Amino acid sequence: MMRPIRAACLGTATALVTLLACAPVSGAATDTVSPHAGGKARTITLRAVVKELHRFPVLEGSVSQGDRVVARSDLSYFSDETHTKIGESHVTCTTTRGGDDEAEQCVATYTLPDGELTVQGMYFNYLDQGPFDNAITGGTGKYDRARGSVHSAPDGPGVRRFTIHLV
C-alpha cells in the first residue's frame, strides 16, 4: 500500500530518501577542482527537492526488514538561488534491520550534466535525521569510473546538502 509523502516521512525506510532530496536553500557555490589525484579530484555541492516518494511496508504500522522506499528528486547547484534543475536523483532503499535501531541500504543514481553518478550506502536511525556518508560506486560520461563519497547533512527543516567528493 502506498502512503502519501507526508505519511511516508514518518516511516523509517524513507530516511535516506528524505535526506537525499528536500526543499531548496540558498548558499555559497562549491564546485571546485583539487590538485589532488592529478587534477581530477573535485567537489560538487547540490541541493535536492523531492518530487515523488512512496513507501512500501512489509507489515503496515511497523518498521520491518524488507520495507522499501522509491523516490525521485530534482537536483540543482547549492549556490543557484533560482533553483535551476540540472538533473535528478533516483533512489531505492531497503530496510535491512527493523525496530528502534533500524538500518537502510540505499542505492541512488544522480543524473547530472554530461553523465550519471551511482551511489550506495547505509543509513542508520531515521529518528536522528543526522548526517551520513555514502560511497560513489561509479558513473558514466564525464563521471566514467568515478570514485569518492557523498556527504549529506541537514541544512534546515526539510533541507539536505550533498557534498560530492570525486577523487
Side-chain angles (χ1 to χ4, degrees):
M1 173 180 177
M2 289 191 291
R3 295 191 295 175
I5 290 174
R6 181 169 300 174
C9 288
L10 299 174
T12 59
T14 58
L16 185 62
V17 175
T18 301
L19 300 176
L20 287 176
C22 291
V25 297
S26 62
T30 305
D31 188 358
T32 59
V33 177
S34 166
H36 179 66
K40 293 183 181 182
R42 65 188 282 200
T43 300
I44 304 168
T45 305
L46 300 175
R47 82 168 59 81
V49 178
V50 174
K51 294 300 179 181
E52 295 179 87
L53 184 147
H54 299 285
R55 184 172 191 276
F56 302 93
V58 171
L59 300 171
E60 196 66 43
S62 70
V63 179
S64 303
Q65 187 178 46
D67 288 357
R68 304 266 310 181
V69 169
V70 179
R72 180 184 65 82
S73 303
D74 285 349
L75 300 174
S76 63
Y77 288 114
F78 194 78
S79 63
D80 182 358
E81 293 182 16
T82 65
H83 314 289
T84 304
K85 179 179 172 180
I86 62 158
E88 294 183 331
S89 69
H90 301 270
V91 182
T92 60
C93 296
T94 302
T95 301
T96 57
R97 181 176 61 224
D100 292 338
D101 190 28
E102 56 78 25
E104 324 283 329
Q105 181 177 35
C106 299
V107 176
T109 301
Y110 302 150
T111 60
L112 299 168
D114 303 318
E116 297 178 351
L117 278 174
T118 56
V119 177
Q120 180 174 334
M122 297 298 295
Y123 182 72
F124 301 95
N125 191 0
Y126 168 73
L127 296 176
D128 179 28
Q129 294 274 326
F132 64 90
D133 295 286
N134 287 163
I136 295 172
T137 56
T140 64
K142 182 178 177 179
Y143 307 102
D144 185 38
R145 297 186 217 156
R147 291 291 180 253
S149 62
V150 176
H151 177 76
S152 177
D155 197 55
V159 176
R160 297 300 291 193
R161 179 190 308 211
F162 298 115
T163 306
I164 300 171
H165 300 283
L166 295 165
V167 294

